[in-house]
Amino acid sequence: DQQVKQNSPSLSVQEGRISILNCDYTNSMFDYFLWYKKYPAEGPTFLISISSIKDKNEDGRFTVFLNKSAKHLSLHIVPSQPGDSAVYFCAANPNYGGSQGNLIFGKGTKLSVKP
Amino acid sequence: EAGVTQSPTHLIKTRGQQATLRCSPISGHTSVYWYQQALGLGLQFLLWYDEGEERNRGNFPPRFSGRQFPNYSSELNVNALELEDSALYLCASSLEVGGPGEQYFGPGTRLTVT
């Protein structure tokens, strides 16, 4: 049973426009969320994170929004650039009752930014 | 500063054999995590080591095991290989233990079982 879901396997966006990647989770106890970007033949690279005590975190062109009541988060990339083309993974840290160490990942969304 | 390194890059084994994968964390990081990414799936948590001890393991059979050495590098061993073990194996390290800190990933080892 997937605890972190990315329901869109792929997304295509024009360069300069906004990219919105979505992620849903099932466990209201999750308290920290992360986005990773992965290029082919490379490991995932940390992008941005958000704690459950916040509803927004911004870093340059990247903004993550968290809606706890809906158990939903989204990553906005503005403006999108061709170099942003990659697979984006949403992850949750189930850091309740003591750290379990692991992150729980979604299956990823492949973003293609067309020039 | 060097990132997380993994070796080998690719590994081809026959069903029933054993595979050993290696990982060196970022300098100063004491926690090492192993994940499996099979085709079409997200990253599945395998094992977590910190200060030489296994702290947690995911829902994988006991033939997946590993260890962490005094220099914090780590080994993942997969015994009695099965075809479905073919996957990308990713190692990550982190500095913050017991907290929500980010994990930093290596490039992975692609294991193919024939």
Side-chain angles (χ1 to χ4, degrees):
Chain A
D1 184 31
Q2 271 194 283
Q3 298 188 68
V4 177
K5 301 177 185 178
Q6 294 178 258
N7 292 318
S8 297
S10 63
L11 174 67
S12 184
V13 171
Q14 206 66 32
E15 181 179 4
R17 299 290 187 104
I18 184 172
S19 295
I20 300 177
L21 296 98
N22 294 302
C23 177
D24 297 294
Y25 60 96
T26 58
N27 194 328
S28 58
M29 296 291 285
F30 290 167
D31 66 354
Y32 197 78
F33 302 90
L34 307 93
W35 283 94
Y36 283 83
K37 177 170 71 173
K38 186 179 185 299
Y39 294 118
E42 294 183 12
T45 303
F46 169 73
L47 256 183
I48 192 169
S49 61
I50 188 167
S51 165
S52 61
I53 62 173
K54 295 185 176 181
D55 55 18
K56 176 183 174 181
N57 189 26
E58 192 172 349
D59 183 2
R61 296 186 298 114
F62 302 91
T63 303
V64 56
F65 295 92
L66 176 62
N67 183 334
K68 289 187 290 293
S69 61
K71 296 193 190 70
H72 176 85
L73 63 155
S74 61
L75 174 68
H76 292 211
I77 306 173
V78 183
S80 301
Q81 300 173 354
D84 296 329
S85 297
V87 177
Y88 288 78
F89 290 98
C90 171
N93 188 324
N95 192 29
Y96 49 87
S99 174
Q100 299 179 24
N102 58 292
L103 296 176
I104 299 176
F105 284 85
K107 291 188 178 182
T109 297
K110 184 176 183 180
L111 173 65
S112 298
V113 180
K114 301 188 185 306
Chain B
E1 181 184 273
V4 177
T5 59
Q6 292 186 244
S7 63
T9 304
H10 294 93
L11 190 57
I12 300 175
K13 292 286 186 179
T14 303
R15 190 170 51 184
Q17 286 187 318
Q18 179 196 37
T20 298
L21 289 66
R22 297 180 175 83
C23 170
S24 291
I26 291 172
S27 177
H29 287 193
T30 62
S31 276
V32 171
Y33 313 82
W34 287 96
Y35 292 85
Q36 180 197 66
Q37 186 184 17
L39 193 63
L41 298 178
L43 283 70
Q44 306 290 316
F45 169 68
L46 267 167
L47 290 158
W48 170 32
Y49 291 96
D50 182 69
E51 296 287 357
E53 300 284 334
E54 181 181 305
R55 301 295 186 183
N56 196 18
R57 67 180 293 130
N59 189 24
F60 282 84
R63 56 191 188 81
F64 286 84
S65 65
R67 54 181 172 167
Q68 186 178 34
F69 300 98
N71 66 353
Y72 303 114
S73 66
S74 176
E75 231 175 49
L76 173 68
N77 295 296
V78 188
N79 294 318
L81 284 165
E82 300 179 2
L83 295 178
E84 53 264 35
D85 296 334
S86 294
L88 180 67
Y89 289 83
L90 291 159
C91 172
S93 72
S94 74
L95 181 59
E96 188 175 0
V97 179
E102 298 82 26
Q103 296 180 10
Y104 297 88
F105 286 82
T109 293
R110 172 73 61 184
L111 173 64
T112 302
V113 183
T114 62

